[in-house]
């Protein structure tokens, strides 16, 4: 049953990435930690590989439909994947086993999951509160690099710490600062996630032993999910989908918080 639940979860990871260009990693880390019992630090690394590889196939599929702005994507991807790599290589290994503040202590694994829950809550707020008109005309424009650079670096650090793809932060930036229509923003987000996630995972290879026999089947199933998601994307009411997924992510965040803080 654990294996079946895990494989179903892997398919849903790809499905959400294909439908919305984000949300896959929000499901990946809890799946690895709570279903398969993987250590949270290892889970964030595995999440980067699963989400990055899955997003690569999604990028290719969107490119065939002319829904990837590679130039804009590279402008965002280069500084963010540098942040991801540096975070995974130098910051994550230095996280103490126990955080202590004025007599209060917190285990590293608990800290990572609580941070992840906060990111999930922000993702839910982004999907529930963000108003983007999918029918509104958009004109691709040159980003003001100085303005968006701190935001891009912040996305990279968050991705590096919690193993999240960052699509929920990337897509609004592409729409508001890059002038991309929502469908092209989704495809471009997958391109950026691919570069960021796989670069972050490469920063882990020197310090972890990867169980490829476990990781590759999950990744392959997730890839099937993203093909299903990109196919279903044209048939789904996107506003209702985002709202429903937003509530689901919020529920997951509350579940993680309750489990880590109260133990159930």
């Amino acid at each position: 049953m654990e294996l079946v639940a895990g494989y179903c979860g892997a398919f849903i990871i790809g499905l959400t990435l294909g439908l919305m260009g984000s949300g896959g990693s929000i499901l990946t880390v809890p799946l690895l930690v709570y279903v398969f019992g993987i250590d949270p630090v290892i889970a964030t690394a595995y999440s980067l590989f699963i989400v990055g590889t899955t997003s690569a196939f999604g990028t290719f599929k969107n490119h065939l439909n002319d829904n990837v702005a590679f130039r804009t994507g590279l402008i965002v991807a280069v500084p963010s994947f540098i942040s991801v790599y540096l975070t995974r290589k130098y910051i994550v290994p230095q996280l103490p086993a126990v955080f202590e503040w004025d007599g209060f202590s917190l285990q590293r694994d608990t800290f990572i999951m609580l941070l992840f829950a906060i990111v999930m809550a922000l993702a839910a707020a982004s999907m529930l509160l963000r108003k983007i008109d999918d029918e509104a005309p958009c004109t691709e424009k040159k980003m003001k690099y100085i303005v968006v650079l701190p935001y891009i670096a912040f996305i990279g650090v968050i991705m590096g710490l919690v193993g999240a793809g960052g699509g929920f932060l990337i897509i609004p930036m592409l729409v508001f600062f890059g002038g991309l229509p929502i469908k092209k923003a989704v495809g471009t987000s997958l391109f950026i996630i691919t570069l960021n996630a796989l670069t972050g995972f490469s920063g882990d290879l020197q310090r972890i032993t990867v169980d490829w026999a476990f990781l590759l089947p999950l990744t392959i199933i997730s890839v099937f999910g993203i093909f299903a998601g990109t196919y279903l994307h044209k048939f789904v009411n996107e506003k209702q989908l985002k709202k429903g997924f937003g509530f689901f992510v919020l529920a997951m965040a509350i579940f993680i918080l309750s489990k880590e803080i109260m133990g159930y």
Side-chain angles (χ1 to χ4, degrees):
M1 289 301 295
E2 176 186 281
L3 197 60
V4 171
Y7 285 163
C8 289
F11 184 83
I12 293 172
I13 289 164
L15 191 70
T16 56
L17 280 168
L19 284 169
M20 293 180 295
S22 64
S25 54
I26 287 170
L27 302 175
T28 310
V29 173
L31 175 74
L32 294 170
V33 172
Y34 297 127
V35 175
F36 290 108
I38 304 294
D39 175 84
V41 174
I42 303 296
T44 59
Y46 283 8
S47 172
L48 289 172
F49 179 81
I50 294 170
V51 172
T53 304
T54 304
S55 297
F57 284 90
T59 299
F60 176 73
K61 188 72 168 56
N62 277 276
H63 172 58
L64 296 179
N65 297 325
D66 194 31
N67 278 332
V68 182
F70 286 104
R71 181 181 175 277
T72 302
L74 284 173
I75 289 174
V76 175
V78 171
S80 59
F81 76 58
I82 291 173
S83 296
V84 173
Y85 180 82
L86 294 176
T87 300
R88 295 301 300 182
K89 187 171 179 62
Y90 296 108
I91 296 179
V92 172
Q94 298 302 318
L95 293 177
V98 179
F99 292 85
E100 296 183 354
W101 300 280
D102 295 328
F104 174 76
S105 64
L106 188 67
Q107 297 292 324
R108 180 185 61 185
D109 291 352
T110 302
F111 169 78
I112 290 174
M113 294 309 297
L114 289 176
L115 180 62
F116 194 82
I118 293 171
V119 171
M120 290 178 72
L122 292 175
S126 173
M127 283 180 273
L128 292 172
L129 301 177
R130 184 176 77 233
K131 293 183 179 179
I132 298 176
D133 187 353
D134 295 350
E135 305 300 326
C138 296
T139 303
E140 188 172 346
K141 55 190 178 184
K142 186 177 180 180
M143 283 190 177
K144 294 182 179 179
Y145 204 65
I146 300 299
V147 175
V148 299
L149 187 58
Y151 184 86
I152 295 170
F154 170 74
I155 291 174
V157 173
I158 292 297
M159 286 180 62
L161 285 174
V162 302
F168 69 95
L169 296 171
I170 292 170
I171 290 175
M173 179 177 60
L174 293 173
V175 172
F176 296 127
F177 294 109
L180 298 183
I182 186 65
K183 287 188 176 180
K184 203 158 195 173
V186 167
T188 306
S189 170
L190 291 174
F191 171 60
I192 296 167
I193 290 170
T194 299
L195 296 179
N196 285 350
L198 294 181
T199 301
F201 178 73
S202 70
D204 288 308
L205 288 177
Q206 297 175 359
R207 64 181 187 84
I208 67 171
T209 301
V210 179
D211 184 354
W212 293 107
F214 167 78
L215 187 58
L216 289 179
L218 285 178
T219 305
I220 292 170
I221 293 171
S222 180
V223 168
F224 280 114
I226 201 168
F227 281 120
T230 52
Y231 174 76
L232 292 174
H233 183 80
K234 52 189 174 184
F235 301 111
V236 185
N237 183 314
E238 195 165 330
K239 291 182 179 179
Q240 290 182 350
L241 177 67
K242 287 177 181 175
K243 187 173 182 179
F245 188 74
F247 282 118
F248 173 73
V249 170
L250 183 60
M252 286 290 293
I254 294 171
F255 167 75
I256 292 174
L257 286 171
S258 65
K259 187 170 182 64
E260 296 297 330
I261 294 175
M262 293 177 281
Y264 58 88

